[in-house]
């Protein structure tokens, strides 16, 4: 009996010891991924299919976050702060304590800077910044009392220890680093050499890409060759080589795409805008089948244009648009089905709108929208489920405001072209461009401030205006449009 009691005591002692050992261990990479599941669910690009601008911001930020987390798990790797911006979906969990105004779409923008070498502290910072619960992390990986005072360390020295020995207090250094905001001057100074090296290495591939693109466009009289995503130069070259090999094997295939734009994207088919889509993960067999079916796609496109005209006539002459930069890349079959269902709804419940009263206005049909809204650029976003009577009232009530915004959009485009050219010439940039997620107003503000405050290190560089700082794999410099000096 006493032996049994001793065994029980030893078992109880082992459980206590096991608990403390588990609390004291550092967070592994797999633990970090599990702990960040609520975060990934809130920001995953697949949930932003109807909002390409926000989707691209999240995709780029996730790439940089993953690189940051990988560096933390590899001792000896250089450590640099990461300034990230995410669009976070509003859920019951993260909406309780958030008092910021949210967008009608149900997500909000969150920006934060990571600057710690501790993986656990990084995970907690990410979750806290997005107003997500950290209980599941604190309860499983570390004592929550330790978390409140900084990242976990087995030994916590008194402040007098650092004052007496002259050693630096890691917690104090961390707090100072988090308070320091990245400035464009210091960032360019730190990254100019790396960008120059990558840019120099990319020149042969850039020339090869331009040669391949021009050859294919000229040989088969293509309107343009584009890419949906920001793939690197080497990736783009390999895609053009694949298309070139296909054209050599079956030159008649590409002749069917005469006058069309070819877009390398995730799926093979024809887009709603009539562009030839080549899926980058598909084999030549899929591409060949697409080129053979192009005549039937052209017939469907004629029917689609006729359907657009019919809807436009029913709605007072308003123009029906599909903007690829503002909408997901739909196939022509998907878009035709959407237009057909909407047209049938209008025919069943006709609304009394003068045939030409809404000419000059623009609208976009969306499947995932429930309330009509007027975009800042002047076009209407109309849900396919919208009641025709409610649709008529909304468009009529906002028609004048829409016309003013459309006029302002044209003015802003001209201003953007002027300030972009002025700054590019002044700084001797090789290229100056922006990400699709950067608005016209943001680009104008960025370029005007750059003109007023000339920066060194940019001569001959490729500069991209974005939402974050980064050096791309081919040497392009990314700076946030709202950079600080």
């Amino acid at each position: 009996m006493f032996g049994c009691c001793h065994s029980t005591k030893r078992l109880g002692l082992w459980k206590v010891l096991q608990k403390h050992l588990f609390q004291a261990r550092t967070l592994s990479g797999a633990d970090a991924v599990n702990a960040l599941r609520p975060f990934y669910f809130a920001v995953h690009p697949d949930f932003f299919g109807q909002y390409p601008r926000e989707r691209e911001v999240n995709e780029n930020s996730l790439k940089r976050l993953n690189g940051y987390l990988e560096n933390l798990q590899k001792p000896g790797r250089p450590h640099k702060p990461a300034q990230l911006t995410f669009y976070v979906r509003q859920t019951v969990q993260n909406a309780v304590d958030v008092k910021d105004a949210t967008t009608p779409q149900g997500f909000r923008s969150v920006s934060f800077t990571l600057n710690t070498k501790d993986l656990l502290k990084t995970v907690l910072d990410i979750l806290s910044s997005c107003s997500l619960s950290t209980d599941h992390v604190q309860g499983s990986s570390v004592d929550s009392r330790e978390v409140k005072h900084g990242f976990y360390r087995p030994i916590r020295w008194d402040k007098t220890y650092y004052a007496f020995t002259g050693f630096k207090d890691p917690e104090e250094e961390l707090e100072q680093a988090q308070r320091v905001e990245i400035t464009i001057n210091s960032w360019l100074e730190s990254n100019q050499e790396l960008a120059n090296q990558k840019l120099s290495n990319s020149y042969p591939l850039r020339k090869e890409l331009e040669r391949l693109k021009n050859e294919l466009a000229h040989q088969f009289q293509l309107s343009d060759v584009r890419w949906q995503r920001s793939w690197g130069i080497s990736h783009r070259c390999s895609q053009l080589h694949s298309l070139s090999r296909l054209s050599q094997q079956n030159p008649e295939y590409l002749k069917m795409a005469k006058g069309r734009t070819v877009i390398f994207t995730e799926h093979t088919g024809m887009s709603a805008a009539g562009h030839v889509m080549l899926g980058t993960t598909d084999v030549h067999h899929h591409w060949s089948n697409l080129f053979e079916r192009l005549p039937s796609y052209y017939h469907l496109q004629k029917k689609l244009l006729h359907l657009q005209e019919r809807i436009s006539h029913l709605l007072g002459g308003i123009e029906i648009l599909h903007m690829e930069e503002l909408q997901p890349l739909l196939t022509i079959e998907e878009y035709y089905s959407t237009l057909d269902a909407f047209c049938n709804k209008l025919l069943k419940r006709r609304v009394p709108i003068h045939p030409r009263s809404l000419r000059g206005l623009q609208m976009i049909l969306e499947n995932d929208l429930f309330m009509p809204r007027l975009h800042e650029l002047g076009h209407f976003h109309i849900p396919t489920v919208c009641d025709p009577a409610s649709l008529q009232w909304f468009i009529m009530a906002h028609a004048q405001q829409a016309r003013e915004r459309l006029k302002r959009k044209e003015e802003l485009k001209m201003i953007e072209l002027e300030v972009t050219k002025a700054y590019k010439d002044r700084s001797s940039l090789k290229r100056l461009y922006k990400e699709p997620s950067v608005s016209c107003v943001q680009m104008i503000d960025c370029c005007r401030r750059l003109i007023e405050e000339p920066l060194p290190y940019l001569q001959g560089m490729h500069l991209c205006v974005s939402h974050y700082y980064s050096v791309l794999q081919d040497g392009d410099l990314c700076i946030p449009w709202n950079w600080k000096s």
Side-chain angles (χ1 to χ4, degrees), residues 297-336:
Y297 276 123
Y298 296 154
H299 177 68
L300 180 60
Q301 188 183 23
K302 288 180 181 178
K303 292 175 63 178
L304 186 145
L305 293 174
H306 175 72
L307 199 54
Q308 283 182 326
E309 291 175 2
R310 192 171 188 185
I311 294 172
S312 174
H313 177 74
L314 293 170
L315 293 177
I318 191 170
E319 184 181 2
I320 315 299
L321 301 177
H322 179 79
M323 298 183 179
E324 289 182 347
E325 66 274 18
L326 296 175
Q327 293 179 268
L329 201 60
L330 295 176
T331 64
I332 194 168
E333 297 97 332
E334 292 170 335
Y335 191 48
Y336 182 86

Side-chain angles (χ1 to χ4, degrees), residues 66-80 117:
N66 291 336
Y68 185 90
L69 293 175
E70 286 177 11
N71 280 342
L72 290 184
Q73 299 171 62
K74 296 178 181 177
R77 281 286 186 95
H79 175 72
K80 292 183 179 180
K117 295 183 180 180

Side-chain angles (χ1 to χ4, degrees), residues 21-29 31 118-120 141-142 152 154:
L21 286 172
F22 185 71
Q23 287 178 343
R25 72 178 176 86
T26 55
L27 205 67
S28 69
D31 291 333
D118 184 82
L119 185 57
L120 173 60
S141 302
V142 69
Y152 178 78

Side-chain angles (χ1 to χ4, degrees), residues 216-218 220-225 243 254 257-260 262:
L216 286 168
H218 176 73
F220 299 102
Q221 300 180 47
L222 302 176
S223 175
D224 194 11
V225 178
L243 184 59
L254 260 71
K258 178 181 178 181
R260 299 281 169 168
V262 171

Side-chain angles (χ1 to χ4, degrees), residues 451-468:
I451 291 172
E452 293 171 0
E453 186 173 339
L455 298 168
Y457 317 115
L458 292 179
Q459 185 174 352
M461 300 301 293
H462 291 235
L463 185 65
C464 173
V465 176
S466 178
H467 295 272
Y468 52 82

Side-chain angles (χ1 to χ4, degrees), residues 49-54 104-105 107 315 318-328 342 361-387 390-391 394-395 398 402 405-406 409:
Q50 287 291 93
Y51 309 100
R53 188 183 85 173
E54 290 76 10
Q105 295 89 346
F107 52 79
L315 293 177
I318 191 170
E319 184 181 2
I320 315 299
L321 301 177
H322 179 79
M323 298 183 179
E324 289 182 347
E325 66 274 18
L326 296 175
Q327 293 179 268
F342 186 73
L361 298 181
Q362 301 171 342
M363 64 173 274
I364 292 175
L365 275 175
E366 293 196 27
N367 287 320
D368 296 339
L369 201 65
F370 295 98
M371 294 292 291
R373 64 186 180 92
L374 176 61
H375 194 274
E376 60 181 6
L377 296 180
H379 55 266
F380 290 96
H381 284 259
I382 304 300
T384 53
V385 297
C386 189
D387 175 68
S390 301
L391 170 63
F394 184 84
I395 293 179
H398 296 85
R405 290 188 182 184
L406 285 170
K409 180 180 76 171

